[in-house]
């Protein structure tokens, strides 16, 4: 908290801005271009990138050095006339032309470009970029749509951006989102940056489109479950959110949320300039709990915008849950008796009444599903007391393109994931029935470590083990690890 407060102090923000602008002045070459490294050759792309950032500063009313901007545009005009305007063979430069047209459109008047680029230049840029719009990745389509819209070509702009929005999905829990790009590690396919800029485009292009709220919901949910890996992605998200909040009247607005639990009501007030902290909750102690009266929790909020709320019951019970429960996360568990028949290993579900005896082998199969990508996830699977693990070695595991740390403990098995994309993941491991009796297996539970309100659990199970020992594997024979293909024994 302290670092953020100092960062947002007006004096520190002003000093940081002035230092950054002074560094830009030192980096700018005599030609007006900006290099990747000090004293390096000027780069047209990096110069455009700097101008794009300065245009966003202008949007929010910050002072921008006009002389720096004018010299940069002079350099880019020379680059356009020398390299891009002649239309090289194969028309290889349309992505850069699209970005150039977008950044030009972001400056409010010709006084910021010094007369660089004639109206004919700008028209030719847009025509060449629009001719290849189907080949643009989503982020470049957003750039092109805004450039076309600002040039008065509204139908062309909607055609381009409708192709982006038509592939979006909307879900009450997840908001509006897209499936990750095939090569999402490329900067222009970065999920957060692309998603945020889609919000920025929709805010200007179609401000009444209801999917804007869904885009914001997905961004906020992603921030709770993941960390944004770059300052670029974070800045892009804040930039888009500021425009959205300003349009919807939510920027710097006082918010009130009322929570009702039975007869209890509490009002939470959030002032825009005050950090509310982490203590915004209504707690009801166990001795005050009346389940019939307090089983319904109502959250009310006046005004536009989103508010995240969660309700958690802490309880202890000997009753096992009969069904799995979850929302963004779900986990299911199944037990199988594993036996060798005719030289082949066969699995029989315990739910079908397969008897167990001391010495029998069980296979535990866990199915984990995530609707939204999440980082730092913990999956815990308690073990029935009459069973022992076949493997006692904890360590890293890799399967199905993901990695995790698997920890074998006396009470169960833990799975720790650094990152899990949205999808379905099966896991399995083996136990040995070692003690006769009737045993309970508490439900498997999956939870986000840093957003613990996202949690799910499986159904509970009961395991009965008879006392008669069966034959154990031949001495010296080593069991195959859980993920290895089965081998027919000699």
């Amino acid at each position: 908290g302290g670092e953020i407060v100092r960062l947002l102090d007006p004096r520190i923000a002003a000093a940081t801005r002035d230092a950054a602008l002074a560094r830009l002045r030192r980096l700018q070459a005599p030609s007006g271009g900006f290099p990747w490294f000090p004293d390096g050759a000027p780069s047209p792309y990096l110069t455009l990138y700097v101008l794009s950032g300065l245009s966003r500063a202008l949007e929010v009313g910050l002072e921008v050095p006009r002389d720096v901007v004018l010299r940069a545009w002079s350099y880019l005009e020379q680059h356009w006339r020398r390299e891009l305007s002649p239309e090289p063979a194969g028309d290889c430069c349309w992505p850069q032309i699209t970005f150039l047209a977008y950044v030009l459109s972001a400056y409010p008047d010709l006084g910021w470009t010094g007369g660089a680029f004639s109206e004919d230049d700008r028209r030719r840029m847009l025509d060449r970029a629009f001719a290849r719009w189907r080949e643009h990745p989503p982020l470049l389509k957003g750039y092109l749509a805004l450039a076309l819209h600002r040039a008065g070509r509204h139908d062309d702009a909607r055609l381009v951006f409708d192709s982006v929005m038509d592939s979006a999905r909307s879900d009450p829990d997840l908001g509006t989102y897209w499936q990750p790009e095939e090569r999402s590690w490329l900067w222009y396919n970065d999920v957060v940056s692309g998603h945020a800029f889609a919000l920025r485009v929709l805010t200007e292009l179609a401000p009444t489109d209801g999917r804007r709220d869904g885009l914001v919901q997905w961004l906020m949910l992603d921030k709770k479950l993941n960390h944004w890996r770059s300052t670029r992605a974070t800045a892009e998200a804040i930039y888009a959110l500021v425009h959205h909040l300003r349009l919807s009247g939510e920027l710097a607005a006082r918010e009130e949320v009322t929570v009702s639990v039975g007869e209890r009501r509490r009002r939470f007030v959030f002032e825009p300039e005050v950090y509310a902290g982490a203590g915004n909750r209504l707690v009801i102690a166990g001795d005050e709990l009346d389940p019939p009266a307090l089983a319904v929790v109502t959250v009310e909020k006046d005004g536009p915008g989103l508010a995240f709320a969660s309700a958690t019951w802490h309880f202890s019970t000997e009753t096992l849950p009969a069904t799995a429960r979850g929302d963004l996360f779900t986990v299911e568990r199944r037990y199988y008796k594993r036996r060798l028949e005719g030289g082949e290993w066969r699995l029989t579900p315990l739910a079908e009444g397969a008897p167990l005896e001391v010495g029998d082998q069980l296979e535990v199969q866990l199915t984990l599903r995530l609707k939204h990508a999440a980082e730092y996830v913990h999956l815990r699977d308690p073990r029935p007391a009459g069973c022992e693990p076949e493997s006692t070695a904890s360590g890293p595991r890799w399967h199905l393109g993901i990695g995790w740390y698997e920890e074998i403990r006396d009470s169960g098995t833990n799975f720790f994931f650094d990152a899990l994309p949205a999808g379905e993941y099966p896991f399995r491991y083996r136990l040995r029935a070692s003690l006769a009796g009737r045993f309970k297996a508490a439900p498997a539970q999956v939870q986000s470590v840093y957003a613990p309100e996202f949690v799910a659990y499986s159904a509970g199970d009961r395991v009965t083990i008879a006392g008669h020992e069966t034959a154990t594997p031949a001495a010296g024979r080593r069991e195959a690890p859980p993920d290895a293909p089965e081998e027919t024994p000699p």
Side-chain angles (χ1 to χ4, degrees):
E3 290 296 324
I4 295 176
V5 170
R6 287 196 291 273
L7 176 66
L8 298 179
D9 183 291
R11 294 168 300 175
I12 294 178
T16 303
R17 182 192 66 227
D18 292 345
L21 290 175
R23 185 165 183 265
L24 281 178
R25 283 188 179 279
R26 292 195 302 270
L27 286 173
Q28 191 172 28
S31 63
F34 288 90
W36 285 96
F37 305 102
D39 300 323
S43 162
Y45 171 75
L46 195 63
T47 304
L48 266 178
Y49 186 79
V50 171
L51 286 172
S52 177
L54 293 175
S55 73
R56 295 182 177 187
L58 279 175
E59 285 184 45
V60 295
L62 294 178
E63 289 188 19
V64 172
R66 189 183 293 261
D67 61 317
V68 170
V69 173
L70 292 175
R71 287 196 291 139
W73 279 125
S74 175
Y75 164 78
L76 286 171
E77 183 184 31
Q78 294 176 33
H79 175 70
W80 160 259
R81 307 237 179 264
R82 184 176 60 252
E83 302 291 341
L84 303 179
S85 180
E87 299 193 27
D91 201 15
C92 65
C93 305
W94 51 265
Q96 187 177 352
I97 293 174
T98 298
F99 192 31
L100 174 60
Y102 160 69
V103 178
L104 265 174
S105 73
Y107 279 84
D109 54 63
L110 295 178
W112 283 97
T113 58
F117 301 100
S118 66
E119 287 300 319
D120 182 64
D121 288 331
R122 297 178 186 234
R123 180 188 54 78
R124 289 178 57 221
M125 282 180 207
L126 286 176
D127 287 344
R128 288 174 60 185
F130 183 66
R132 305 290 289 269
W133 72 267
R134 290 182 177 83
E135 301 171 48
H136 284 46
L139 183 61
L140 277 179
K141 284 183 179 178
Y143 290 155
L144 178 57
L146 281 185
L148 290 166
H149 178 71
R150 292 165 180 172
R153 297 171 59 170
H154 307 299
D155 291 342
D156 290 342
R158 288 306 303 260
L159 173 66
V160 171
F161 203 65
D162 281 349
S163 72
V164 176
M165 296 305 300
D166 286 347
S167 62
R169 300 180 180 183
S170 293
D171 181 272
D173 294 327
L174 299 174
T176 302
Y177 65 101
W178 290 266
Q179 292 291 85
E181 292 293 317
E182 182 179 348
R183 292 186 290 174
S184 59
W185 50 269
L186 294 171
W187 72 265
Y188 51 80
N189 284 341
D190 176 77
V191 173
V192 174
S193 294
H195 191 105
F197 195 70
L199 172 62
R200 171 69 185 93
V201 176
L202 204 62
T203 301
E204 182 172 333
L205 206 62
T208 59
D209 193 317
R211 289 173 293 184
R212 284 198 304 123
D213 291 331
L215 292 171
V216 174
Q217 180 181 339
W218 187 93
L219 271 177
M220 296 295 96
L221 185 64
D222 187 71
K223 188 67 180 73
K224 291 176 73 67
L225 287 169
N226 299 279
H227 77 283
W228 292 340
R229 291 173 176 80
S230 69
T231 53
R232 176 191 173 90
T234 304
E236 198 73 62
I238 294 174
Y239 168 71
L241 287 169
V242 166
H243 280 275
H244 167 80
L245 295 173
R246 180 180 288 157
L247 180 64
S248 59
E250 300 171 61
L251 191 63
R254 183 176 185 268
E255 301 279 5
E256 293 187 15
V257 176
T258 302
V259 177
S260 303
V261 185
E263 297 298 321
R264 297 186 179 221
R265 288 175 64 86
R266 182 171 174 185
R267 186 167 63 99
F268 299 89
V269 178
F270 303 96
E271 300 288 352
E273 73 279 4
V274 178
Y275 174 58
N280 301 295
R281 51 180 172 259
L282 173 61
V283 179
I284 300 175
D287 54 1
E288 302 173 1
L289 205 59
D290 180 10
L294 304 179
V296 177
V297 178
T298 304
V299 180
E300 300 171 285
K301 175 182 178 294
D302 293 327
L306 295 172
F308 281 87
S310 64
T312 303
W313 296 90
H314 294 276
F315 62 92
S316 177
T317 179
E318 293 297 317
T319 303
L320 296 175
T323 58
R325 293 289 182 91
D327 38 45
L328 296 186
F329 298 166
T330 57
V331 59
E332 294 179 358
R333 179 180 64 196
R334 291 183 177 86
Y335 288 118
Y336 295 86
K337 179 179 178 179
R338 186 172 182 267
R339 65 190 187 280
L340 193 62
E341 289 184 1
E344 294 185 357
W345 290 99
R346 298 186 180 276
L347 300 178
T348 304
L350 291 192
E352 297 179 7
L356 279 179
E357 296 182 348
V358 171
D360 283 348
Q361 190 180 68
L362 284 78
E363 181 162 296
V364 184
Q365 295 189 2
L366 300 167
T367 302
L368 177 60
R369 298 183 183 90
L370 292 87
K371 289 185 178 180
H372 193 289
E375 295 177 321
Y376 308 113
V377 175
H378 176 206
L379 170 61
R380 179 178 181 271
D381 184 28
R383 185 182 310 123
C387 299
E388 296 294 336
E390 284 281 271
S391 170
T392 58
S394 300
R397 308 279 191 268
W398 294 270
H399 189 49
L400 296 176
I402 61 171
W404 68 94
Y405 188 87
E406 193 167 315
E407 180 189 48
I408 315 296
R409 298 184 67 87
D410 291 341
S411 59
T413 302
N414 289 306
F415 302 79
F416 298 99
F417 304 94
D418 286 347
L420 281 171
E424 179 176 312
Y425 303 96
F427 305 95
R428 59 179 177 144
Y429 65 94
R430 293 171 192 157
L431 304 174
R432 183 75 66 175
S434 60
L435 183 67
R438 301 182 64 187
F439 306 99
K440 291 181 179 180
Q445 179 175 294
V446 59
Q447 190 167 33
S448 170
V449 175
Y450 295 110
E453 64 269 30
F454 297 101
V455 62
Y457 57 83
S458 73
D461 293 282
R462 289 178 174 82
V463 175
T464 301
I465 302 173
H468 176 68
E469 287 196 19
T470 59
T472 57
R477 181 178 169 203
R478 183 170 61 86
E479 286 290 331
D483 293 324
E486 302 295 353
E487 296 180 0
T488 303

